[in-house]
Amino acid sequence: MLGKFAGMKNQIDILANILADILIVGGSIGGCAAALAASQAGHRVVLTEESDWIGGQFTSQAVPPDEHGWIERFGCTRSYRNFRQRVRAYYHRNYPLTNEARSNKQLNPGNGWVSPLCHEPRVALAVLEEMLAPFVSSGRLTILREHKPMAVDVNGDRIRAVTLRDLRSSNELTITATYILDATELGELLPLSGAEFVTGFESQTMTGEPSAPRDYQPHNQQAFSICFAMSHHDGEDHTIEKPARYDFWRKFVPTLEPAWPGQWLSWTITHPRLMTPLTYHFHPHNESGRAFTGLWSYRRIVDRQQFTFGFDSDVCLVNWPQTDYLLGDLCSGTDEEKAWHLAAAREQSLSLMFWLQTEAQRPDGGFGWKGLRLRGDLTGSPDGLAKMPYIRESRRIQAECTIVEQHVAEALRPNQKFAERYFDSVGIGFYRIDLHPSTGGNNYIDVGSLPFQIPLGALLPVRMENLLPACKNIGTTHITNGCYRLHPVEWNIGEAAGSLAAFCLEQKTSPRAVRQHQLADFQQRLIHQGIELAWPDDLVLAQGDPHIHAQ
């Protein structure tokens, strides 16, 4: 009996410790892209995620993709384009599309005008799991959901192992790997490992950026948001219970510079670029055209007119300025303080929903739409909101190369078509430098940018040898994070990080040595797998922006 017990204990010990070639902590967009690249290269990969859904912005955060205007033709990696094609194919296979929708090669399921591909979070989840399924089935990739990093074992400048807690059982699991990728939304491994990093708004002394403040503001970060989906049903009453602090949120006026035009729960906001009052319009099912101010169609993820049956309402995804949470950040404070802010942010979003149902002014002069219904069935949460907060800004590594405003801002590069050309490019992207109101009191900061590259040096920590960022935690600043944080760029960052770890394992080299001595070989590998390293020289910039507005 004792021998049998000892054998069972040994099995438990084995299960509590995993050995991998590459550990990716965080199932974000970047984490999924990294897992795909590393698994395709033939390595043993473990991907962990705090939520029960992988996919980050696409899924658990319920954020439709926000992309530049050339995305259908170029300006992203081949695997990202494959993801987009699979999303459309999923609707073609499984949904009762009208003949017109079925014949549309660039189907936009929601016809939301923030993106040419607005779709449901569950569809993105199904597609990502489908893309990773062959590697899971072969045993090459292990996905551990609902696992949160708790501790990091560091030896000098290298990480030996990461310990995670199973959030369902509270059991702990230690994973040893040769390369560790931090693909968490907040750069969780950076403080745990002692890696050098920055948070918040750097000073002009630190970066030389014209838009930076005089003094360093480490707690001044872009607001995070709790998004939600809703439909509308005439003649029905889906009014939620009044949130406990609704009166607080109803009267809340943020202290921002320049000043916000009034109460947070209002149709009038600050225009992100002009800094003048801008009044939105909202009318379920009755918004015509693609007017910038129509919120029902802005991030709509289901347009019922494209389906022959099954939908008696559109579905609108709410990621509006009124969901931006300004009372605290998630990169500082105790676990209890962070939990309080997350709960308060969820209450803020529920307060917005209650306001829409009861007090928001309608075009006909009335107030509220009782028929608005939270769609927790689409976001996978019992309270009807997104499972996880939408994070716009992470902890960021101190990197060998830091991307600053001077590298990408259009006004600071007169008569130039492109941002800084990096010799060590591992990808490309484009978006305005778009910063939402911040916890430090800044209103929108919106700066025109140029099509840019992703330098390998921004993925290399100044000291750590086997830790790589794979999400929004690369070597950007508070300002340049504003254009490097969107979906296709994060995917490219993750794919490049996963490919770099795989290349280093195969060549028995290090990330730093790749940049110094083997860059041409690595870049050729990236090109072969479909990563674009430079924008076409004959690129024609559209009058205005080839995109609408960042989220």
Side-chain angles (χ1 to χ4, degrees), residues 11-325:
Q11 288 181 353
I12 293 172
D13 288 342
I14 291 171
L15 289 174
N17 294 276
I18 296 178
L19 180 64
D21 296 324
I22 300 169
L23 168 62
I24 304 165
V25 180
S28 59
I29 290 176
C32 290
L36 185 65
S39 299
Q40 286 175 332
H43 299 286
R44 293 172 299 167
V45 181
V46 175
L47 173 67
T48 74
E49 165 55 31
E50 182 176 347
S51 170
D52 60 344
W53 282 11
I54 61 171
Q57 292 183 68
F58 281 141
T59 61
S60 60
Q61 298 175 35
V63 182
D66 208 335
E67 305 163 326
H68 57 72
W70 300 292
I71 197 69
E72 302 290 353
R73 293 173 290 148
F74 53 82
C76 65
T77 76
R78 183 190 300 151
S79 64
Y80 183 81
R81 184 164 290 112
N82 181 28
F83 166 80
R84 299 175 89 257
Q85 292 168 343
R86 283 171 178 259
V87 167
R88 287 175 170 144
Y90 189 96
Y91 279 94
H92 278 276
R93 288 196 312 270
N94 300 297
Y95 282 65
L97 297 172
T98 64
N99 290 335
E100 182 180 1
R102 193 168 296 281
S103 64
N104 185 359
K105 293 183 180 180
Q106 295 185 357
L107 174 69
N108 186 346
N111 274 329
W113 53 269
V114 73
S115 167
L117 187 62
C118 287
H119 52 79
E120 301 158 70
R122 285 189 181 276
V123 173
L125 177 65
V127 169
L128 289 171
E129 291 184 332
E130 179 184 68
M131 294 176 75
L132 295 172
F135 309 108
V136 174
S137 296
S138 67
R140 192 176 295 172
L141 171 64
T142 299
I143 302 178
L144 300 175
R145 298 168 181 82
E146 296 184 80
H147 278 73
K148 180 178 177 60
M150 304 303 296
V152 174
D153 179 13
V154 178
N155 181 24
D157 298 335
R158 301 186 66 85
I159 296 177
R160 291 189 293 203
V162 177
T163 297
L164 302 106
R165 177 174 296 157
D166 185 332
L167 299 179
R168 297 159 296 186
S169 66
S170 294
N171 292 334
E172 291 193 346
L173 170 72
T174 297
I175 303 175
T176 302
T178 306
Y179 283 94
I180 314 294
L181 275 57
D182 185 343
T184 62
E185 298 290 343
L186 290 166
E188 301 283 7
L189 296 189
L190 303 184
L192 290 175
S193 66
E196 291 78 6
F197 67 91
V198 294
T199 60
F201 210 160
E202 296 91 339
S203 67
Q204 287 188 1
T205 301
M206 296 167 68
T207 66
E209 296 172 309
S211 299
R214 184 185 64 182
D215 299 318
Y216 178 34
Q217 301 170 3
H219 303 301
N220 187 1
Q221 294 188 261
Q222 283 197 75
F224 68 88
S225 296
I226 305 293
C227 304
F228 58 90
M230 63 183 180
S231 51
H232 181 257
H233 310 270
D234 279 319
E236 300 179 13
D237 187 347
H238 295 282
T239 307
I240 64 173
E241 182 179 350
K242 181 179 178 180
R245 299 180 72 226
Y246 174 73
D247 292 337
F248 168 82
W249 292 112
R250 179 66 184 88
K251 299 174 183 177
F252 179 66
V253 177
T255 303
L256 297 174
E257 180 60 38
W260 195 259
Q263 293 180 338
W264 205 234
L265 296 188
S266 164
W267 293 128
T268 300
I269 69 161
T270 298
H271 191 294
R273 301 181 191 176
L274 303 178
M275 303 310 293
T276 56
L278 167 68
T279 299
Y280 280 127
H281 299 286
F282 180 80
H283 199 321
H285 312 305
N286 288 301
E287 290 179 0
S288 60
R290 294 166 60 86
F292 175 74
T293 54
L295 281 178
W296 179 259
S297 56
Y298 188 25
R299 293 189 171 94
R300 184 173 52 196
I301 57 175
V302 172
D303 179 358
R304 62 177 173 168
Q305 296 185 24
Q306 297 197 99
F307 304 91
T308 58
F309 64 88
F311 292 99
D312 60 353
S313 171
D314 300 342
V315 178
C316 170
L317 196 286
V318 177
N319 176 16
W320 302 344
Q322 299 93 328
T323 62
D324 289 357
Y325 180 80

Side-chain angles (χ1 to χ4, degrees), residues 7 53 68 114-115 354 370 390 508 518 528:
W53 282 11
H68 57 72
V114 73
S115 167
F354 187 77
K370 292 181 179 180
Y390 169 36
K508 297 180 172 54
Q518 297 165 281
H528 179 73

Side-chain angles (χ1 to χ4, degrees), residues 210-491:
S211 299
R214 184 185 64 182
D215 299 318
Y216 178 34
Q217 301 170 3
H219 303 301
N220 187 1
Q221 294 188 261
Q222 283 197 75
F224 68 88
S225 296
I226 305 293
C227 304
F228 58 90
M230 63 183 180
S231 51
H232 181 257
H233 310 270
D234 279 319
E236 300 179 13
D237 187 347
H238 295 282
T239 307
I240 64 173
E241 182 179 350
K242 181 179 178 180
R245 299 180 72 226
Y246 174 73
D247 292 337
F248 168 82
W249 292 112
R250 179 66 184 88
K251 299 174 183 177
F252 179 66
V253 177
T255 303
L256 297 174
E257 180 60 38
W260 195 259
Q263 293 180 338
W264 205 234
L265 296 188
S266 164
W267 293 128
T268 300
I269 69 161
T270 298
H271 191 294
R273 301 181 191 176
L274 303 178
M275 303 310 293
T276 56
L278 167 68
T279 299
Y280 280 127
H281 299 286
F282 180 80
H283 199 321
H285 312 305
N286 288 301
E287 290 179 0
S288 60
R290 294 166 60 86
F292 175 74
T293 54
L295 281 178
W296 179 259
S297 56
Y298 188 25
R299 293 189 171 94
R300 184 173 52 196
I301 57 175
V302 172
D303 179 358
R304 62 177 173 168
Q305 296 185 24
Q306 297 197 99
F307 304 91
T308 58
F309 64 88
F311 292 99
D312 60 353
S313 171
D314 300 342
V315 178
C316 170
L317 196 286
V318 177
N319 176 16
W320 302 344
Q322 299 93 328
T323 62
D324 289 357
Y325 180 80
L326 298 172
L327 301 187
D329 70 274
L330 298 177
C331 288
S332 61
T334 64
D335 289 344
E336 291 75 16
E337 289 170 334
K338 295 173 189 176
W340 190 92
H341 287 305
L342 282 170
R346 300 189 80 84
E347 186 185 55
Q348 175 181 336
S349 291
L350 289 172
S351 294
L352 172 60
M353 182 64 180
F354 187 77
W355 177 77
L356 289 169
Q357 293 173 320
T358 61
E359 294 193 73
Q361 185 165 5
R362 301 194 307 258
D364 64 6
F367 295 91
W369 289 265
K370 292 181 179 180
L372 290 174
R373 174 187 164 203
L374 278 174
R375 297 301 301 270
D377 54 325
L378 300 184
T379 56
S381 68
D383 64 2
L385 307 178
K387 287 175 175 285
M388 303 294 284
Y390 169 36
I391 304 296
R392 296 183 177 88
E393 185 174 344
S394 172
R395 301 175 181 92
R396 303 177 295 278
I397 64 166
Q398 289 187 21
E400 287 201 354
C401 172
T402 300
I403 304 157
V404 295
E405 183 181 8
Q406 301 90 302
H407 292 169
V408 295
E410 184 177 19
L412 302 180
R413 305 180 68 81
N415 303 317
Q416 297 190 47
K417 185 188 294 187
F418 301 106
E420 184 83 5
R421 291 182 184 267
Y422 298 108
F423 74 94
D424 58 344
S425 173
V426 292
I428 60 175
F430 181 48
Y431 220 90
R432 290 183 70 86
I433 298 173
D434 179 350
L435 304 180
H436 276 231
S438 71
T439 57
N442 295 111
N443 206 323
Y444 284 102
I445 297 176
D446 191 282
V447 179
S449 66
L450 296 169
F452 56 77
Q453 295 174 307
I454 305 167
L456 176 58
L459 274 67
L460 302 182
V462 292
R463 180 178 59 84
M464 302 296 288
E465 295 293 339
N466 68 335
L467 172 65
L468 296 171
C471 195
K472 293 180 282 288
N473 49 355
I474 66 169
T476 59
T477 65
H478 173 80
I479 293 173
T480 57
N481 165 72
C483 61
Y484 275 77
R485 64 183 173 85
L486 281 304
H487 300 68
V489 180
E490 185 185 320
W491 182 291

